[in-house]
């Protein structure tokens, strides 16, 4: 409808101009035609007069007039010649043919003949009047008045008028068609160009749109977008440290208090029964460690699988419970899974399939059709829960991790305006490795329902983009890191995750480092000066626990003076114990620990303490503060938060971090002793170096690590993602406005 209106704007003036042209051209054409024919008839009249001159001269000498009469009768047999009249030089009618009008005198004929059209109307129709001199040998003899039929001129004029009207109408139609097509094409080019600009293409590189006439406007739009972005950045305040207040203010201003919904498989609080009492546990999970402080700062709703035995006892009729217990800062909405669903979705597809697939830690992924079915069904149930919780058609949804790869597209199908931020907490492998997943296209298509897709490192982003490039028909714009697939565009970006930096009040409440050292050593029956290294992990084969034990064994072998002087404490939270791969791995760790302890048996201590149980946060903090060294030797890790927790716990600026180069954290924590965990000798040497590192060097390294983690904390992680989401929403709003004003 709008397109028609736009086209009419071109067409109506065009048609008016054509009608005007026809209106002016037709009388002009008539006059011209009349003049041309009158001139022709004049020439013809002269010719007739010249031809008859001799016969008229002889006829004038005949006193009976019979010769002239018979000459005139013969000549006017020509159907175009209506009549002839012979006038004397003094203007007297001497003779005329029978149809010559008797009312026409010689004087009148001379006057009419002098006019440009020289036309009169007689009984048979219009005639042309021409007066021509009849020349004799001695000069002019008389004037011959020739009357010729003029009606054919009118007929021809009529024909010409018709042809002219048809020509103008045809010309109008062709011009209208060209106008419509050109207007339509130009409009498309315009819209494409404007859209490209709104996507930010024109901001960095010159416009690649098909509408060169947009160039002058592009500069203006670019300027306007830059102004808006500057305004946006200014409103965020100076580049200060990110903290809960700043995050809250970001939500209030940039996201205008929009609803925030987090979705993950793992819940942040688990209610369990202990005798008659219900207790609350925090799961050992990097995801929970990172996302929980963000939720506390922003309120909102967290949808997760209710996995605790007493979870159902504490929720309301909508399966909701306010958490943290006693503080009630946000809503936890629990979703219930049957044991079969949990087996297929969580243990099967996510943990036996995607987890080893993405970590490439030499454990074969297992893909079962039934697991995939469960995975899809459970993702759909999470998506339905999001739809049920959404209070508007454009909530901000934070989907977490590899358990929910299909979720973004499922939400997008019903809430096309939602801003979906998906964060992939584990690594993303290269295209070849990912290619072995039988449902690789479906997984990628599901993730590309996200508005923003986050990974810990640029390297994982690059791997993801290359994987999409390999397996999907999608448009990738590398310079802007966007992927357009079907009708959606996703922005792929790295957001290194972190921890909540402890507040001054929290730190003030911690027991002193000396006290922590003493208590931990007492608990393990160790002397006060005993050196301790710690490892804290979920009991998972990707964490490099076995390689770490081998390194400890090599240290004691290579530097035997440490036997009886040094111990390694491994805290391992039971994880995924119902999977055979995990059970056999855990058995192996127990066996290797026993072997090492036997080999380096000493009356004062064990070489390795394996504490295979869940620890509360305070207990872990005490251990971090008591340790001389923290060892993180993941074979492959998205980020790893343990190393950051260790650093945050050391307000005494002491302690040494040994960190695997295959953990995402190694990219920002260069002051650690970075090792290749597969290289046992290198890790053993790093242990030796850490145990003998002078306090001054420890201080220097730890202070630098602490300032990095303090600045790059989890509020910054969430803040950067939400800032990008805010910017994206602003662009979408502008684009929607352009769309609304765009003709259909
Ligand atoms: P995880 O592999 O679970 O998560 P990781 O970064 O190693 O994460 O953090 C584990 C968390 O569990 C830490 O907060 C730690 O304190 C806690 N934890 C470990 N052992 C524990 C125990 N015995 N008792 C209690 N708590 C324990 C995934 C990715 C990581 C990524 C995180 C966050 O695999 O690479 O860093 O998500 O994105």
């Amino acid at each position: 409808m709008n397109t028609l209106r736009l086209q009419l704007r071109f067409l109506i003036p065009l048609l008016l101009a054509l009608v005007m042209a026809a209106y002016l051209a037709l009388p002009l054409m008539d006059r011209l035609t009349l003049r041309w024919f009158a001139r022709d008839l004049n020439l013809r009249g002269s010719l007739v007069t010249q031809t008859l001159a001799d016969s008229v001269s002889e006829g004038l000498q005949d006193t009976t007039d019979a010769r002239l009469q018979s000459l005139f009768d013969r000549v006017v047999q020509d159907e175009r010649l209506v009549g002839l009249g012979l006038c004397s030089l003094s203007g007297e009618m001497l003779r005329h043919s029978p149809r010559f009008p008797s009312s026409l005198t010689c004087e009148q004929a001379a006057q009419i003949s002098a006019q440009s059209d020289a036309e009169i109307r007689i009984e048979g129709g219009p005639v042309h009047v021409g007066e021509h001199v009849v020349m004799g040998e001695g000069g002019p003899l008389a004037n011959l008045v020739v009357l010729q039929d003029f009606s054919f001129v009118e007929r021809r004029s009529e024909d010409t008028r018709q042809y002219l009207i048809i020509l103008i109408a045809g010309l109008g139609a062709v011009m209208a068609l060209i106008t419509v097509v050109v207007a339509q094409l130009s409009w498309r080019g315009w819209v494409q160009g404007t859209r490209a600009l709104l996507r930010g293409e024109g901001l960095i590189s010159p416009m690649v749109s098909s509408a060169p006439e947009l160039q002058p406007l592009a500069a203006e739009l670019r300027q306007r977008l830059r102004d808006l972005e500057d305004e946006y950045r200014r409103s965020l305040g100076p580049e200060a440290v990110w903290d809960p207040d700043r995050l809250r203010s970001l939500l209030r201003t940039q996201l205008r208090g929009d609803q925030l919904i987090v979705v993950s498989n793992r819940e942040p609080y688990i209610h369990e029964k202990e005798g008659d009492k219900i207790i609350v546990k925090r799961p050992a999970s990097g995801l929970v460690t990172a996302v929980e402080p963000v939720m506390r700062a922003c309120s909102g709703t967290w949808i997760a699988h209710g996995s605790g035995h007493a979870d159902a006892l504490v929720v309301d009729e909508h399966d909701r419970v306010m958490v943290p217990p006693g503080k009630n800062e946000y809503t936890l909405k629990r979703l219930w899974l049957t044991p079969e669903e949990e087996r297929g979705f969580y243990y099967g597809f996510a943990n036996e399939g995607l987890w080893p697939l993405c970590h490439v830690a030499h454990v074969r992924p297992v893909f079962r059709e039934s697991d995939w079915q469960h995975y899809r069904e459970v993702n759909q149930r999470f998506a339905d829960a999001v739809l049920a919780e959404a209070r508007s058609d454009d909530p901000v949804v934070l989907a977490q991790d590899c358990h929910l790869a299909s979720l973004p597209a499922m939400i997008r199908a019903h809430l096309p305006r939602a801003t979906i931020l998906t964060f992939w907490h584990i690594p993303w492998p290269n295209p070849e490795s990912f290619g072995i997943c039988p449902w690789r296209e479906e997984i990628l298509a599901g993730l590309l329902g996200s508005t923003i897709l986050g990974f810990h490192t640029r390297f994982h982003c690059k791997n993801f983009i290359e994987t999409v490039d390999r397996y999907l028909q999608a448009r990738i714009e590398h310079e802007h890191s966007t992927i357009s697939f079907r009708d959606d565009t996703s922005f792929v970006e790295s957001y290194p995750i972190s921890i909540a930096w402890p507040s001054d009040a929290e730190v003030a409440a911690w027991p002193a480092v000396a006290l922590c050292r003493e208590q931990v050593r007492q608990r393990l029956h160790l002397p006060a000066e005993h050196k301790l290294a710690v490892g804290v992990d979920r009991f998972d084969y990707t964490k490099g626990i076995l390689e770490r034990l081998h390194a400890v064994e090599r240290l004691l072998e290579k530097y035997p003076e440490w036997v009886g002087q040094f111990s390694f404490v491994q805290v391992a939270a039971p994880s995924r114990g119902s999977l055979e791969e995990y059970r056999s791995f855990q058995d192996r760790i127990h066996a290797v620990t026993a072997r090492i302890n036997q080999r380096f048996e000493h009356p004062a201590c064990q070489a390795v303490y394996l504490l295979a149980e869940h620890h509360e946060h305070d207990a872990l903090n005490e251990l971090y503060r008591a340790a001389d060294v923290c060892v993180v030797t993941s074979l492959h890790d998205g980020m790893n938060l343990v190393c950051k927790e260790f650093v945050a716990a050391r307000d005494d600026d002491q302690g040494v971090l040994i960190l695997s180069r295959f953990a995402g954290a190694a990219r920002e924590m260069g002051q650690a002793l970075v090792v290749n965990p597969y290289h046992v000798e290198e890790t053993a040497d790093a242990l030796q170096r850490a145990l003998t590192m002078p306090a001054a060097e420890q201080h220097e390294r730890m202070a630098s690590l602490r300032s990095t983690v303090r600045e790059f904390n989890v509020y910054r992680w969430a803040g950067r993602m939400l800032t990008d989401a805010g910017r994206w929403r602003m662009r979408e709003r502008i684009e929607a406005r352009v769309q609304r004003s765009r003709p259909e």
Side-chain angles (χ1 to χ4, degrees), residues 472-490:
L472 289 186
Q473 291 286 333
R475 204 176 101 220
I476 297 172
E477 294 187 32
H478 291 278
E479 68 274 35
H480 303 110
S481 205
T482 56
I483 301 176
S484 300
F485 179 64
R486 296 185 183 143
D487 291 334
D488 298 319
T489 300
S490 307

Side-chain angles (χ1 to χ4, degrees), residues 268-272 278-282 292 296 311 314 321-332 334:
Y269 293 94
I270 304 177
H271 288 87
E272 298 280 9
I278 292 180
I279 56 151
V280 186
K281 277 191 180 167
R282 292 282 311 275
E292 150 86 352
R296 291 181 67 169
D311 275 355
V314 297
V321 57
M322 291 301 287
V323 286
K327 294 195 175 125
N328 298 356
E329 287 168 332
Y330 64 94
T331 309
L332 171 61
R334 285 178 168 144

